[in-house]
Amino acid sequence: MTSSTHHVVLGNGIAGNHAASVIREREPDARITLVSAGALLFYNRYDLPNVFRGRQHWVDYLVHPPEYYESRNITLRRKTQVTELDTRTQTLSLAHRETLHYDKLLIATGGHAYIPERLLDYTKLMLGFHNFIVAMQVQKSVRKGGTVIMLGGDVMGIDLARTIIATGHRVILVLDPRTFWPHDVTPSDRVKYLQALTNMGVEVQDSGRVERIEMINGTGSGRRVFLENGGHIRGDVVMPFYGIVPTVDFLATSGIDMERGILVNPQLQTVRDNIWAAGDVCQIWSAEHNAYRFFYGYRNVKTMGEVAAHNMTGKQATFTSTVNEKLVVNRDGSLYSPFWEHD
Amino acid sequence: MAYHTDIQISICGSAGDGTIAVGDIFKRAMAHVGYRVIAFDQYPAEIRGFGKCIARTRVATSRVYSMKGYSDVLVSLNDMHAIPHVGEVRNYGALIYDSAPMSAVAEGAHISGHLKPGHIPYALPMREVSELATGANRSRNFVALGFVAGLYQLPQDAFHHAIAAKFESKAAAVTKSALAAFDSGFEAGAASYQFDDVRIDAPRGRKNAHEARMMTGNGAIVQGCLDAGIETFFGYPITPATGIMERLAVEMPRRGARLVQTEDEIAAISAAIGAGYAGSRAATATSGPGLSLMTEMMGLGVMAEVPVVIFVSQRGGPSTGLPTKTEQSDLNLAVWGGHGDAGRIVLAPTNVEGCRRCAGRAFELAEQFQVPVIVLVDLYLSNRYETVFLQDENEFLPKDWKQTATPRAGYRRYELTTDGVSPRCIPGEVGGIHTATGLEHDEYGNPSDSARTHTLMTEKRYEKLQAAIKHPGINFTKRFGDSGKVEVGLLTWGSTFGEALEAMLLAQKEGIRCAATKVVMLSPFPVRPVLRFYKDCQQILVPELNYTGQFAKLLSGEIVLPVTRISHTTGAPLDVSTLLEAIRKAARKHRRQHNTT
Ligand SMILES: Cc1cc2nc3c(=O)[nH]c(=O)nc-3n(C[C@H](O)[C@H](O)[C@H](O)COP(=O)(O)OP(=O)(O)OC[C@H]3O[C@@H](n4cnc5c(N)ncnc54)[C@H](O)[C@@H]3O)c2cc1C
């Protein structure tokens, strides 16, 4: 492509950042714009549990300093929410009423926490762990030696539970069919893995699903979670960990094929010309499974960014995952997800 | 370690956005709670229209001397105007802007697309918040101000107080809606996570904090005039001097003094000289173009030895030039302007307190030496706000200070005395009849074109001024920084001194031995102290806001030693970092020459 090509990378996460740097390597003169709804530079979400260990300045989590983007001439647009994609005019509509034209577009908008419909009314009474501000809120809400109630228990939650327990707090986990998401777990393995959780110090609560959540005494701090069997548990915060769903709401009128995520071929191309997708937002065609499927975890997402960048700059690259997707019980009895390994 | 707060907030908008108004409230609120504040607003030359306005305020816990060359926070009320200033914000500083503009914006026209990676964005739907709080979108400026106050946890009460004071004379509904918009912004700011590293700690308790006043250079000139007991003022409006006349017009009648707006500058100086001749403490104020018109009459003041004070606030020139931008390019006109050998006194204060002091002393000097005195400032100093702690209002000597010798028979108004100062008489004094003329004259005032008379009288008119350098009430030069021999010295005048001093303090922290001297009296020139300073400095830098190096040339006319000129003609004040870099460069050069590190 010519040097005036405008590559727009939508999403300032792992996939988007790797893609932007590979595009820059391959096309030194291209215009690259990295768009993000968030305020911060790309930071390491994997390390966020460390807010419990006193690492409470966001700059400590940065993957790249500001100079990284300046030296690579990558324009970073933060606090820029995309609301619509028009593939005909090749423009993105931004929430602040500006439009942004692209020649080639990579959608890497990741995912956000899935909340089961029956709990949507209680969203305000729960705290996720998906960004730095919320992580800080959680840490501030948990008293010394206090209790965190985790609902569901996906792999992000389990990873966080390890640190919360190690820093002197309690974790009560209310089980759900989505516990251990995104791993597919057989019933016999599930028993084994639950035992591993207990070994890790997690207090497993298997008394049925959550019925409702209340604020204790209306004070703003402290929560009570009522379970289907009639009992209830108390904690400082309630955190939903039911896995994630792709962030695709702005694509509703785009004409891009979607199931839950954006459907792409193994070259990560969507059905539209000049549009690719990578990361947690996309479902990739798998000949092996004869279906479109998600590939989660740092290594997969990073590879997707690279593959998409190559294809956006004229190379033919194909995504293949080499990540072991099975949970492992360590020698010390704790749980480990190779799928979840990161640099 | 005690933390020293020193931040600069810039608010940028279009004329009509209320940029200057909220900037004003911000600085007053901060000064009210005890911070040291310096502020400088920039506004468009057009009276009507949508030009750019920027209100910059530096807030510190200890004294600071100039605006910073960069901002810690930039608030955009108008992206088109603010975008060129995004680069002024430092890494990890904040940009606060409207995330809900009224209409669609073209690609690239929203400020969010221009932030540097190191900036921290705060996208605030100012218009929507304003509409919710007040029912109209006009109060975006107060929403933004409230956001700043909430984000940095500034005392809400002080802002309420400043808002109420600002709209004291307006309908109650105006104050109410401003407060409502401010409070909504405050709430949004307080609820935002502060990612930037801008810290505003509580001000240090200062015993006389309650005596602090916010004043501009023009305001301080007015205060100086009033404290010195000004009796008559004649003026013709011209930016940036108009503010002097406007304020005097309010204050002088209250004190039984008279102010007249004349038809032009020639009339203004003529009337002021007439009033001075009649024994009144008289003044006028103008800018460069007006001073051009006044120079002919100033010659009369010199020749007839009439006391008069002329305040001159410089702006970009020549001609109509840059009426709303600053420059120090009327030094030549102030010191030399006019025909003939017309010596006069020229004072150039360097800060707001200095404006008051020079204004008051100018009347004393004019009367003592019977001569026109120019107080030369520039737009930057005229319009710059500083927190000041004023001296006793009675510090200036009253008018009849060493007024005249007793009139007597054979009274010689222009008597050749040892100090050159002749006994002065004002019209109507018995025995004091004399001729006051623009023609060369003898000791009685009678016209004379004899060679001897002209030589003696010219000498007298210059010689009498030498004693002015010894006037006890003003530091005509003052040295700061390292004493003794230094690697780099800065010789400065007027408003530029603040930046020079800040740069010097930073250079000292880097281990460079340096000093800065301000020269407050430009005419007659205080050669001795300046020469002493010269001798102490390995290199001398002379920064000023003009192209030709007018001060450097004034210096070289008195002292034939080399200086490095730093001339700057952007219409804006000099940048501290530019000066610091120049100091570093000079120090490196000196070290290379002397093989030291
Ligand atoms: C707390 C936590 C811990 C984790 N730990 C691990 C771990 O240890 N190992 C592991 O492998 N994985 C982990 N994950 C998962 C991992 O973070 C994700 O798989 C990965 O971040 C996905 O990367 P991505 O680039 O696809 O999207 P993301 O990193 O989610 O980035 C999405 C980007 O898109 C932007 N965006 C979204 N919508 C819009 C829009 N409409 N307009 C503009 N911008 C938009 C967002 O602002 C964001 O910048 C963790 C996740 C969390 C939250």
Side-chain angles (χ1 to χ4, degrees), chain A residues 9-17 35-40 42-49 77 79-84 93-94 107-112 128-131 135 155-157 159-160 181 241 244 247-250 278-282 295-302 304 337-342:
Chain A
V9 176
L10 184 44
N12 181 30
I14 299 162
N17 272 278
V35 181
S36 167
L40 300 183
F42 175 39
Y43 64 95
N44 203 336
R45 290 203 295 188
Y46 308 144
D47 280 350
L48 280 182
R77 297 204 57 163
K79 279 277 177 195
T80 301
Q81 180 86 31
V82 173
T83 53
E84 215 177 326
S93 299
L94 311 180
I107 303 173
T109 45
H112 54 275
F129 208 69
H130 49 281
N131 67 32
V155 192
M156 283 167 280
D159 190 51
L160 173 64
W181 180 97
F241 281 108
I244 59 171
T247 302
V248 290
D249 40 343
F250 63 100
D280 285 355
V281 77
C282 68
F295 291 86
Y296 293 107
Y298 174 83
R299 301 237 153 104
N300 281 333
V301 170
K302 183 180 172 192
M304 282 184 235
S337 168
F339 183 44
W340 225 234
E341 268 173 358
H342 55 82

Side-chain angles (χ1 to χ4, degrees), chain A residues 141-173:
Chain A
S141 308
V142 183
R143 290 165 304 147
K144 206 169 166 214
T147 304
V148 173
I149 301 174
M150 279 191 184
L151 311 183
D154 59 28
V155 192
M156 283 167 280
I158 292 169
D159 190 51
L160 173 64
R162 211 187 304 272
T163 307
I164 293 180
I165 291 165
T167 51
H169 307 91
R170 286 175 67 198
V171 173
I172 302 175
L173 175 64

